[in-house]
Amino acid sequence: MAYENDAGSSTPQGRRNDVVAAEKERFGGIKWGSAFFGWLTAIGMTVLLSALATAIGVGVGAANPSETQQAAEQARQNAETLGMVSGIVLAVVLFLAYYCGGYVAGRMARFDGVKQGLAVWLWGIIIAIIVAILAAVAGSQFNILGNLNGAPQIPVTEAS
């Protein structure tokens, strides 16, 4: 009697399931290397999506023919709305970026995609803690952005 072929190939479905289960047992779990490259993907997507959001904001600002003082006054009056919209855009950018990073890590590791996505997030937390510790140890000595006095600034407070 021949095996019933439900798998669409020459291997019976039961045998295929056994092979996949054995592969998952051997190669499953969190793969930290895959998660690291997923984190790198997430950081790259964050940069790209942030640049896109900034370009859209600049385009909207360029379409509004107002002077610098007028734009600063509008920003002062609508500071709360501006902050909420910026926060929502940042949340969407981070969600999409880490979704892409988790997808990459899950595809690289083949099994346990949810665990790989969590590992990408853990890489982000670990590296943020390391950077915070390095910033606390180094202090303001290496604060490059604070030393740049030529960077453009938009006054948002009343004191400016």
Side-chain angles (χ1 to χ4, degrees):
M1 178 176 235
Y3 287 103
E4 188 174 327
N5 186 2
D6 293 334
S9 66
S10 62
T11 306
Q13 181 70 32
R15 174 75 177 127
R16 182 185 179 285
N17 290 342
D18 292 342
V19 169
V20 170
E23 286 177 348
K24 186 172 184 177
E25 183 179 330
R26 182 173 179 200
F27 301 114
I30 294 178
K31 303 293 182 205
W32 290 102
S34 297
F36 178 74
F37 286 107
W39 175 78
L40 286 178
T41 301
I43 294 301
M45 285 300 297
T46 301
V47 169
L48 292 174
L49 292 174
S50 297
L52 180 64
T54 302
I56 290 171
V58 167
V60 168
N64 184 8
S66 62
E67 296 180 12
T68 306
Q69 293 297 330
Q70 210 173 15
E73 183 63 32
Q74 287 177 349
R76 258 188 240 113
Q77 290 173 355
N78 300 325
E80 186 174 321
T81 304
L82 186 64
M84 285 190 358
V85 169
S86 299
I88 290 169
V89 168
L90 178 64
V92 169
V93 163
L94 288 175
F95 174 78
L96 289 174
Y98 273 88
Y99 179 80
C100 291
Y103 178 79
V104 166
R107 293 297 291 178
M108 285 178 71
R110 186 170 176 202
F111 295 109
D112 298 324
V114 174
K115 288 181 183 178
Q116 298 307 318
L118 290 174
V120 169
W121 180 75
L122 284 174
W123 265 114
I125 296 293
I126 290 167
I127 292 177
I129 290 171
I130 291 170
V131 168
I133 291 171
L134 288 174
V137 169
S140 63
Q141 178 182 357
F142 297 106
N143 187 1
I144 296 170
L145 294 177
N147 295 333
L148 287 176
N149 293 328
Q153 297 178 356
I154 297 176
V156 179
T157 62
E158 290 292 328
S160 296

